[in-house]
Amino acid sequence: MARVTLTVNDRQVTLDVHPGERLVDTLRDRLGLTGTKEGCGVGECGACTVVVDGDAVNSCLVLTVQCDGAAILTVEGLAPAGQLSRLQRAFLEHGAVQCGFCTPGMLMSATALLARNPRPTREEIRAALAGNLCRCTGYEQIVQAVEAVANEAE
Amino acid sequence: MSTTSAPDKLRWVGKPVPRVDAVGKVTGATKYMGDLTFPGMLWGRVLRAAHPHALIKSIDTSKAEKVPGVVRVLTHKDVKGLNGYGIAVPDQPVLCHDKVRYMGDAVALVIAETREEAAAALDKIEVVYEPLPVVDDPERAMLPDSPLVHEGGNIHLHTHIERGDVEAGFAASAVIVENTYRLPRQMHAFLEPEQGVGVSDGNGGVTVYCGAQHPYRDQMQISRALGIKPSRIRVVASPVGGAFGGKDEITLQILLAMGALATGRPVKIVLSREESVVAGWKRHPMVIHMRTGAAADGRILAHQVRLVSDTGAYASLGGPVTNLALEGCTGVYRMENILMDGYCVYTNNGVAGAFRGFGQLQANYAMEHQMDLLAEALGMDPVAIRRVNALRGGDVNPLGHTMVENVGALSVLDAAERCDLWARRHELEAEPPSEPWKRRAVGLAVEMQGTGLGVGLPDYGAAKIDLVRGPDGRPRWRVGLSCPEIGQGNSTTYAQMAAEGLECDVGDVEVYVGDTSAGPDSGSCTASRSVYTGGNAIFHAATAMRELLRKKAPAVLGCTEEEAAQAELSEIARAAVAKGITLSADGAFIWPESKYKLQGVFGLPHIINTYIAHVALVEVDVLTGQVEVLRSFAAIDCGKVVNPQGVQGQSEGGMVMGMGYALMEDTLIQGGHTLTKNFSTYIIPTSLDAPLMETVTCESFEPTGPWGAKGVGEAVMVPIAPAIALAIRRATGALMDHAPSTSERVFTKGGVRLGG
């Protein structure tokens, strides 16, 4: 077992984990943060995307021990006090949610993009979401939701 | 999205009401069935077959049972009822006894304290097999000397449909086109792999939490396999992280129930993507041979079809899919002389079952190619030849049904002809491509999608409405029905229709779906039927509730009947809940059927159809064969649009899924072994592949529909595939008779010759 300290959604947690434990399992099984989904287990679908120290990463490909000391943001951290973020509201307004299984990953990829680049172009948005598969929407309403937030940025 | 419709007085139906389930989905609060945990929960793992086709000589679980943490290992001996399931024919074992027929067959279920312990025990189960020859070619499987997948023979179903005189029709034809089309094994690729939890009530009953498409049928199938009464089984099937037909059949429900009852503890099973791909259903690969004759003016005079569908190891819905494919082989067209034979064949190539489009996608790909080829042969415009043949209201369709319902073939065709992509296609094709070695072209195709289950199959829905007092003292309307929320947004359209029928705010409606304890049976979320069926049930329940409230109004309001008649429904409801009165009303709906029955053909004809035309602009790299879809257009007649944003989402999602079918998707199985087990090898479209999309709805009013609505979920992915393939043909001259149009196929058929 290895002791790790993570800051998850602004809350510090210290855990003893198996060196082989994946971040997605730590989040879902130990911390009960089931908003993060697992769709493929090999880093192809993006459903498990979380933000680690500012970068969107597939939490199925990251070991928890690698995240010792890191700040992790999951979908549950986007509206900590129940107040939806601008991006979450844009997803509602633009019909960007259908089955919702890809939605947390999409939101986290887009959150990382907007933090790094508040006014991305449509092409930059499409590229940033290319690692997040969605089988329901055809992507357009998701891209439009992110564009709407980008267009409001200073 | 734009809509052509007459103004109406509707307050909620037709409005872009935000989805009622979206807040939970953007915050991560929504619990899918695999997100649930219970105290004392165990983990289950399924042992799958080691060979695609083999006899089981023995199964020894003794070593596995000794693995630390293992609680139980279940085999066929533990299946107390019928060891079989299947929507149409229950020929698939819950746990195999004497034979395995594909690599996904379940042989044993290990239940352990942790996932890791369950996995470790899988390797310790000793199964002795006697391998059998693998049946992997449906054409060969039909031959008399083929090894048998099932003892009754490899041809699960042969459907023969004949009307008129095709030989006379061919003799009178000015042109005849004849081709064989090969269609791929598409994967649903829902983002949520099959997963769920079974929870015993400690008293012989069980609750099964597992995302699915028809909870009451799941309940029946669990009951049949376990030998316990349906009333002891609760099924919670909603929400679902995508299904598209792939969760219509039993996935894990019976195993979850067995595990929970055998251990007395909650049991969770989560399939990996690889296990989901190997075990789960796919779209039927088909080989469709078509011979079509037309007069000089374009009228189809004869149409002959031979269709072979590979249903894999078990029947599931292979029979109905074959029949609907045959119906789809007649397109949206008038035909007096048809001769069609469809064969649904068992092999060891995985399993195939329901998938959005349900056979019509394969059929439409072939039929729409035939139409363009006839047009080419006759020197006609592709729209003109479709218009000459398109079915009108009052026509007798090729299967013999008189079209008395709303018929929208011409309205969607007209809209497609007027759209920018088609109207300016010559200009767009002449525009300089992004690179000199690329070619641009536009293709068009049209479809009608039969909705509902069809003639001879019980098709009905029920809904319940309760008026209760909300926490704020105001009336709340609880609407319960069983069609699950699989992502398509039916819970929102149900809320809209309930609010319309109950003359209340949509915010005062609470919709409960996909739970056998929360609402009556409204059937499956398949066949584009949930809005039409559930909506009709809600319409009748709301009507009954209005009548009930009106009847009680004088007593509730303490006034005369005349005064009560003037009161608004909301006022009566408010007064009722203030007095502590709660009320319930039910509504039920049975689908209309065609009076015309085809002898020996179940499920046909369908009479309520969604009509759709797609147009696609593609750019083909003639040096590599790579195809990009730049723009696409959809014209949809789905009756009255209940939620425009919802229809747009269906349309765009459908176009991209259909594009995947046209260009990239095929689950490769070789010798019974799946080669494409995850998204690293089974490629689906990403945000970078999606074209610029436009959707127009050609609104109509379906008299039998709730507020005039029909269904939309399936048609949206169908004609886009032939539209793309026909655009490739226009760009390169290649006939893309083998889908998907991968770079290799496009290059081989129409590549460098043009560049050179």
Side-chain angles (χ1 to χ4, degrees):
Chain A
M1 286 293 184
R3 176 150 296 186
V4 293
T5 299
L6 315 170
T7 304
V8 182
N9 300 332
D10 290 331
R11 243 188 61 230
Q12 193 168 310
V13 289
T14 300
L15 301 163
D16 290 321
V17 299
H18 186 279
E21 182 167 317
R22 306 176 305 167
L23 180 59
V24 63
D25 296 321
T26 303
L27 293 172
R28 286 179 56 83
D29 297 345
R30 287 176 186 264
L31 303 178
L33 297 173
T34 55
T36 301
K37 307 301 182 195
E38 180 172 353
C40 73
V42 295
E44 290 286 346
C45 81
C48 67
T49 306
V50 297
V51 179
V52 178
D53 289 336
D55 290 329
V57 303
N58 289 310
S59 62
C60 74
L61 293 185
V62 178
L63 299 177
T64 305
V65 290
Q66 292 176 282
C67 299
D68 190 21
I72 297 163
L73 182 67
T74 73
V75 68
E76 289 89 349
L78 293 181
Q83 193 73 26
L84 297 186
S85 72
R86 180 66 197 101
L87 183 66
Q88 287 172 311
R89 279 187 282 122
F91 267 54
L92 302 191
E93 290 157 10
H94 289 269
V97 178
Q98 289 192 32
C99 90
F101 207 77
C102 77
T103 305
M106 286 284 182
L107 285 165
M108 301 323 291
S109 287
T111 297
L113 168 71
L114 291 168
R116 188 173 71 236
N117 174 7
R119 301 210 55 175
T121 63
R122 182 178 164 85
E123 285 318 302
E124 286 169 335
I125 294 167
R126 292 174 78 200
L129 300 180
N132 293 82
L133 298 178
C134 170
R135 196 56 155 169
C136 297
T137 65
Y139 303 102
E140 181 58 33
Q141 288 168 316
I142 297 172
V143 172
Q144 283 178 10
V146 183
E147 266 186 309
V149 179
N151 290 339
E152 289 168 13
E154 289 301 314
Chain B
M1 193 182 83
S2 61
T3 298
T4 54
S5 67
D8 56 46
K9 291 186 179 146
L10 298 173
R11 194 173 154 211
W12 301 107
V13 169
K15 305 296 183 287
V17 172
R19 286 181 69 118
V20 297
D21 57 345
V23 172
K25 288 177 174 177
V26 298
T27 57
T30 298
K31 296 287 183 198
Y32 296 80
M33 298 302 114
D35 294 335
L36 301 175
T37 54
F38 295 86
M41 192 172 77
L42 301 167
W43 285 84
R45 281 290 301 267
V46 183
L47 179 72
R48 305 279 171 185
H51 302 273
H53 197 195
L55 297 176
I56 296 175
K57 305 312 277 185
S58 65
I59 303 171
D60 183 354
T61 60
S62 55
K63 285 181 189 157
E65 281 160 22
K66 295 195 183 87
V67 171
V70 169
V71 178
R72 280 295 296 271
V73 182
L74 303 177
T75 66
H76 63 92
K77 290 178 191 156
D78 301 292
V79 183
K80 302 297 183 201
L82 174 75
N83 188 5
Y85 62 93
I87 295 170
V89 183
D91 65 355
Q92 180 155 2
V94 177
L95 290 170
C96 292
H97 169 215
D98 52 358
K99 191 175 177 183
V100 293
R101 297 177 178 86
Y102 83 116
M103 293 299 291
D105 254 331
V107 177
L109 173 66
V110 174
I111 302 160
E113 298 287 344
T114 67
R115 265 188 289 200
E116 294 74 18
E117 288 161 343
L122 281 186
D123 297 336
K124 304 289 183 195
I125 301 172
E126 293 171 340
V127 185
V128 177
Y129 291 101
E130 180 186 318
L132 297 169
V134 176
V135 180
D136 60 358
D137 177 348
E139 286 285 352
R140 288 178 55 104
M142 291 167 70
L143 299 174
D145 62 346
S146 170
L148 294 178
V149 179
H150 291 271
E151 283 178 9
N154 289 339
I155 299 177
H156 168 60
L157 178 77
H158 171 211
T159 296
H160 176 79
I161 299 172
E162 192 172 353
R163 281 187 75 240
D165 181 346
V166 280
E167 284 315 317
F170 284 125
S173 293
V175 292
I176 295 173
V177 295
E178 184 167 0
N179 286 294
T180 302
Y181 303 92
R182 293 170 199 283
L183 291 315
R185 182 184 288 108
Q186 190 178 30
M187 182 158 90
H188 304 79
F190 35 70
L191 265 285
E192 174 202 41
E194 299 85 341
Q195 48 193 281
V197 190
V199 182
S200 152
D201 68 3
N203 202 17
V206 66
T207 298
V208 173
Y209 300 91
C210 185
Q213 297 181 243
H214 189 173
Y216 277 92
R217 192 180 53 215
D218 296 346
Q219 181 190 51
M220 180 278 286
Q221 296 216 64
I222 297 166
S223 156
R224 194 169 59 184
L226 269 60
I228 63 175
K229 287 182 184 170
S231 57
R232 308 302 308 278
I233 301 161
R234 175 185 170 202
V235 175
V236 182
S238 196
V240 188
F244 312 110
K247 295 172 183 169
D248 193 19
E249 188 58 88
I250 287 287
T251 56
L252 297 170
Q253 292 89 344
I254 298 173
L255 295 176
L256 290 168
M258 279 176 62
L261 289 175
T263 60
R265 289 168 64 181
V267 173
K268 184 176 199 168
I269 306 176
V270 176
L271 293 197
S272 69
R273 176 61 59 182
E274 290 82 0
E275 189 175 357
S276 164
V277 170
V278 171
W281 288 264
K282 305 289 176 290
R283 187 185 300 286
H284 286 79
M286 290 187 190
V287 176
I288 304 176
H289 183 85
M290 279 188 178
R291 185 166 185 245
T292 313
D297 62 3
R299 279 176 306 118
I300 296 169
L301 298 182
H303 187 51
Q304 192 170 346
V305 177
R306 181 179 182 274
L307 177 155
V308 176
S309 175
D310 181 355
T311 203
Y314 298 102
S316 187
L317 285 164
V321 166
T322 301
N323 283 351
L324 193 57
L326 286 174
E327 188 171 62
C329 280
T330 61
V332 301
Y333 308 115
R334 296 164 162 170
M335 295 178 189
E336 288 177 3
N337 303 309
I338 60 167
L339 178 61
M340 303 199 289
D341 285 284
Y343 299 89
C344 179
V345 183
Y346 288 121
T347 66
N348 301 120
N349 294 332
V351 283
F355 194 162
R356 193 181 205 180
F358 209 80
Q360 297 250 75
L361 186 49
Q362 299 91 319
N364 189 254
Y365 190 93
M367 187 63 220
E368 288 301 281
H369 271 78
Q370 293 289 94
M371 295 308 287
D372 260 34
L373 294 172
L374 285 173
E376 279 178 28
L378 291 165
M380 281 181 82
D381 174 75
V383 170
I385 192 166
R386 288 171 170 85
R387 183 173 287 125
V388 164
N389 288 290
L391 287 161
R392 277 81 166 161
D395 278 355
V396 176
N397 79 4
L399 299 188
H401 168 72
T402 304
M403 309 283 285
V404 289
E405 307 74 24
N406 160 259
V407 178
L410 282 176
S411 74
V412 296
L413 196 54
D414 289 345
E417 189 177 35
R418 283 195 305 269
C419 82
D420 180 66
L421 275 186
W422 190 257
R424 291 201 306 120
R425 71 186 186 284
H426 298 296
E427 203 179 314
L428 293 167
E429 287 169 349
E431 274 178 8
S434 60
E435 304 288 353
W437 52 85
K438 293 185 178 181
R439 300 277 161 86
R440 287 184 177 186
V442 179
L444 170 148
V446 61
E447 191 235 359
M448 66 185 215
Q449 177 84 33
T451 65
L453 306 180
V455 170
L457 301 168
D459 204 350
Y460 56 87
K464 180 171 187 273
I465 297 175
D466 295 315
L467 170 63
V468 299
R469 185 186 158 100
D472 56 357
R474 294 179 57 248
R476 298 287 292 171
W477 306 90
R478 289 193 180 150
V479 179
L481 65 169
S482 71
C483 285
E485 173 63 74
I486 59 175
Q488 79 281 51
N490 58 345
S491 46
T492 305
T493 51
Y494 290 157
Q496 290 176 256
M497 292 191 284
E500 198 71 56
L502 296 166
E503 300 167 17
C504 68
D505 276 345
V506 77
D508 293 333
V509 177
E510 295 169 11
V511 176
Y512 297 88
V513 291
D515 181 345
T516 54
S517 72
D521 187 3
S522 52
S524 60
C525 252
T526 63
S528 309
R529 68 183 290 289
S530 85
V531 164
Y532 178 87
T533 315
N536 266 318
I538 289 170
F539 178 88
H540 290 299
T543 304
M545 178 59 87
R546 282 201 313 273
E547 285 167 3
L548 191 60
L549 270 176
R550 289 273 165 217
K551 207 168 105 192
K552 292 193 178 288
V556 167
L557 297 171
C559 63
T560 66
E561 287 193 16
E562 289 72 23
E563 286 165 341
Q566 300 300 314
E568 292 203 352
L569 204 71
S570 57
E571 194 185 333
I572 309 169
R574 214 163 33 239
V577 296
K579 290 189 169 171
I581 300 168
T582 56
L583 297 170
S584 293
D586 297 315
F589 171 75
I590 297 175
W591 270 69
E593 285 192 349
S594 174
K595 290 187 185 70
Y596 182 83
K597 309 262 190 300
L598 278 94
Q599 202 64 37
V601 185
F602 62 89
L604 303 186
H606 292 76
I607 64 169
I608 311 291
N609 294 290
T610 304
Y611 295 85
I612 182 159
H614 276 140
V615 185
L617 168 66
V618 306
E619 191 172 76
V620 183
D621 183 326
V622 294
L623 295 183
T624 65
Q626 192 169 27
V627 178
E628 190 179 353
V629 182
L630 303 177
R631 289 172 60 189
S632 65
F633 169 87
I636 307 171
D637 168 10
C638 57
K640 172 72 188 171
V641 173
V642 180
N643 188 317
Q645 207 173 43
V647 169
Q648 185 181 348
Q650 285 293 304
S651 174
E652 291 173 353
M655 277 193 267
V656 172
M657 190 185 263
M659 185 188 91
Y661 185 78
L663 296 181
M664 53 185 90
E665 297 185 32
D666 193 2
T667 312
L668 301 176
I669 298 183
Q670 208 170 63
H673 296 270
T674 303
L675 304 182
T676 48
K677 291 187 186 173
N678 208 324
F679 296 127
S680 48
T681 46
Y682 187 93
I683 307 297
I684 67 171
T686 72
S687 53
L688 290 174
D689 301 305
L692 200 59
M693 296 176 277
E694 184 188 356
T695 298
V696 165
T697 53
C698 306
E699 273 205 329
S700 61
F701 186 89
E702 169 51 46
T704 66
W707 291 273
K710 300 192 283 192
V712 74
E714 298 179 277
V716 288
M717 80 166 293
V718 176
I720 185 70
I724 290 169
L726 291 167
I728 298 171
R729 175 167 176 76
R730 232 173 118 81
T732 66
L735 176 67
M736 300 315 298
D737 51 6
H738 192 169
S741 292
T742 57
S743 299
E744 292 89 336
R745 287 197 182 120
V746 175
F747 175 79
T748 307
K749 283 171 170 285
V752 78
R753 280 168 301 171
L754 283 152

